[in-house]
Amino acid sequence: MTVLEVDKKLLKELEGFGFPLARAARALHYCGNGSLEDAINWIVDHENDAEDNEMPLIAVNIEIESPQPDHMMEEVEKKAQEKRDQAYQREEEEKKPERNREKVLHRLQQRIHAGKELLEATLTAAENERQRFSAARKAEKEEVKRARQKIRQKIEADKVERRRQLGFPSEKPVTLNPSKPIVQDKMTSLPVMTITKAEKMRECLRSLRRNHKEDDARVKRAFQTLLIYVGNIVKNPNEEKYRKIRLGNPLFQDRVGSMRGGIEFLELCGFEKTEGGDFLHLPSDKLDMEGLNAAGFLLRSAMTNPFFGLLGG
């Protein structure tokens, strides 16, 4: 093992600066015990050398005269401090990228966490909105269903009331021809329906509406005109002028005569064409006040009921 000869005074000064004894001895040895500044420079230059934990043999009996003024000591101490500061700064600079990476990673984790929270909040809000829309849609369907049911009930009630006022049975009676045998071919085995004059009038008005469904205003005007003819006869059954209509009258032709079903309805009310075909005439001996009242009721229903002519029964 090599024995290191060092200056005892310089060795104590290096130890006073906080340098380890082994490193201070090697520094003095390798710089030839030149000066305190040379020893400190050697330590700083070799600070990254592998540490040698084995304590060297040190001969400190030599005395090397190296008188140095006080200002030189101060300068050496100042340089040593600068070296330490530089080493600390280099160490801090080396640590800075790592710290920056940690900051960036922390910010990234915060953003990811905030993004997850925002996504969860968005999904929750969307689900709540979907549930509210579904509930509103369901309530709307239920309301429409109840409204339709009320309309159906009202229509059925109106049908029953009209039949009652017209003296019709609640259901159309079905009668079989008793003079025919029970076993017949397909054409003769169908039931025969009893059809009254009022039912023929109703079907005539329905046909008129269906034939001119594209011109609802004209249909309504025809119903109003027919109601005037019928109403005048009911109020004045003995007045001949109300029981006679000139077919060539432009007003009659525009309102009733040109409408398919208009003249047919008047004929069901009892009107007949004269021999020359110029007039429609209702003979006094064929006045049917009950039938005319029924015709007036049907005309008023046709004008006020929006479903007239659109529903069967």
Side-chain angles (χ1 to χ4, degrees):
M1 180 178 295
T2 305
V3 178
L4 304 180
E5 294 184 356
V6 297
D7 185 282
K8 181 178 180 180
K9 182 178 179 181
L10 294 177
L11 182 62
K12 288 183 177 181
E13 289 180 357
L14 288 174
E15 286 184 296
F17 286 129
F19 295 112
L21 177 61
R23 185 166 288 273
R26 288 189 178 89
L28 289 173
H29 173 73
Y30 288 115
C31 71
N33 293 292
S35 65
L36 185 62
E37 182 179 0
D38 292 339
I40 292 174
N41 288 333
W42 187 92
I43 291 174
V44 172
D45 293 338
H46 295 79
E47 63 179 351
N48 294 324
D49 293 352
E51 292 287 343
D52 188 357
N53 295 325
E54 183 179 355
M55 187 67 185
L57 296 178
I58 303 173
V60 296
N61 294 323
I62 65 172
E63 294 287 344
I64 301 176
E65 292 296 331
S66 56
Q68 296 181 357
D70 291 342
H71 70 276
M72 290 297 294
M73 293 298 297
E74 293 176 358
E75 187 69 23
V76 169
E77 184 176 353
K78 182 178 179 181
K79 288 185 178 182
Q81 184 62 39
E82 290 178 355
K83 293 292 184 180
R84 286 194 293 269
D85 292 341
Q86 292 174 359
Y88 176 77
Q89 290 177 358
R90 283 197 300 271
E91 184 178 356
E92 289 297 316
E93 290 295 330
E94 292 175 356
K95 292 181 179 179
K96 186 179 294 186
E98 183 66 24
R99 290 173 182 171
N100 290 337
R101 284 194 296 271
E102 291 178 356
K103 290 180 180 179
V104 171
L105 180 60
H106 181 66
R107 286 196 296 268
L108 181 60
Q109 290 174 344
Q110 287 181 329
R111 291 180 181 178
I112 293 174
H113 182 69
K116 288 182 178 179
E117 291 182 344
L118 179 60
L119 178 61
E120 291 177 358
T122 303
L123 293 176
T124 301
E127 178 63 19
N128 292 338
E129 182 64 22
R130 187 193 66 79
Q131 292 179 358
R132 285 195 295 270
F133 177 79
S134 178
R137 183 62 176 166
K138 183 177 180 181
E140 181 181 353
K141 288 182 178 180
E142 291 294 330
E143 184 65 24
V144 171
K145 184 178 179 181
R146 287 192 294 269
R148 288 178 177 174
Q149 184 64 25
K150 289 181 180 179
I151 292 174
R152 293 192 190 100
Q153 293 174 353
K154 183 65 169 59
I155 292 173
E156 291 299 324
D158 289 345
K159 286 183 181 180
V160 173
E161 180 62 20
R162 288 198 302 271
R163 287 180 175 274
R164 185 189 66 78
Q165 293 179 1
L166 294 174
F168 298 157
S170 59
E171 295 181 357
K172 294 180 180 179
V174 180
T175 59
L176 295 176
N177 190 343
S179 63
K180 299 292 184 179
I182 296 178
V183 180
Q184 300 174 350
D185 59 21
K186 291 184 179 180
M187 293 301 294
T188 60
S189 63
L190 295 176
V192 178
M193 305 296 291
T194 301
I195 303 177
T196 66
K197 182 185 291 187
E199 288 173 333
K200 290 181 179 180
M201 290 180 180
R202 180 185 299 167
E203 183 56 34
C204 184
L205 294 178
R206 287 176 176 168
S207 177
L208 190 151
R209 167 163 278 183
R210 287 194 295 267
N211 291 334
H212 304 279
K213 61 183 179 180
E214 302 299 332
D215 195 348
D216 189 66
R218 191 179 178 197
V219 171
K220 187 174 182 181
R221 187 174 57 186
F223 289 163
Q224 290 173 342
T225 304
L226 290 171
L227 183 60
I228 291 173
Y229 289 143
V230 172
N232 287 337
I233 297 173
V234 171
K235 294 177 183 178
N236 307 281
N238 297 322
E239 292 287 340
E240 178 73 15
K241 63 179 181 179
Y242 293 125
R243 293 186 283 108
K244 192 173 184 180
I245 304 172
R246 186 165 62 88
L247 293 174
N249 187 331
L251 185 62
F252 172 80
Q253 283 296 323
D254 179 60
R255 291 175 175 264
V256 177
S258 61
M259 304 286 286
R260 291 173 57 188
I263 294 178
E264 289 82 351
F265 182 81
L266 291 172
E267 289 175 341
L268 290 171
C269 292
F271 281 88
E272 300 174 350
K273 289 184 179 180
T274 60
E275 291 183 1
D278 296 331
F279 292 91
L280 282 174
H281 181 251
L282 177 58
S284 59
D285 59 343
K286 292 187 178 182
L287 274 175
D288 181 6
M289 299 304 293
E290 183 179 349
L292 291 172
N293 284 324
F297 176 82
L298 290 172
L299 286 166
R300 283 189 290 270
S301 177
M303 288 188 294
T304 58
N305 184 0
F307 300 102
F308 189 90
L310 303 177
L311 298 176

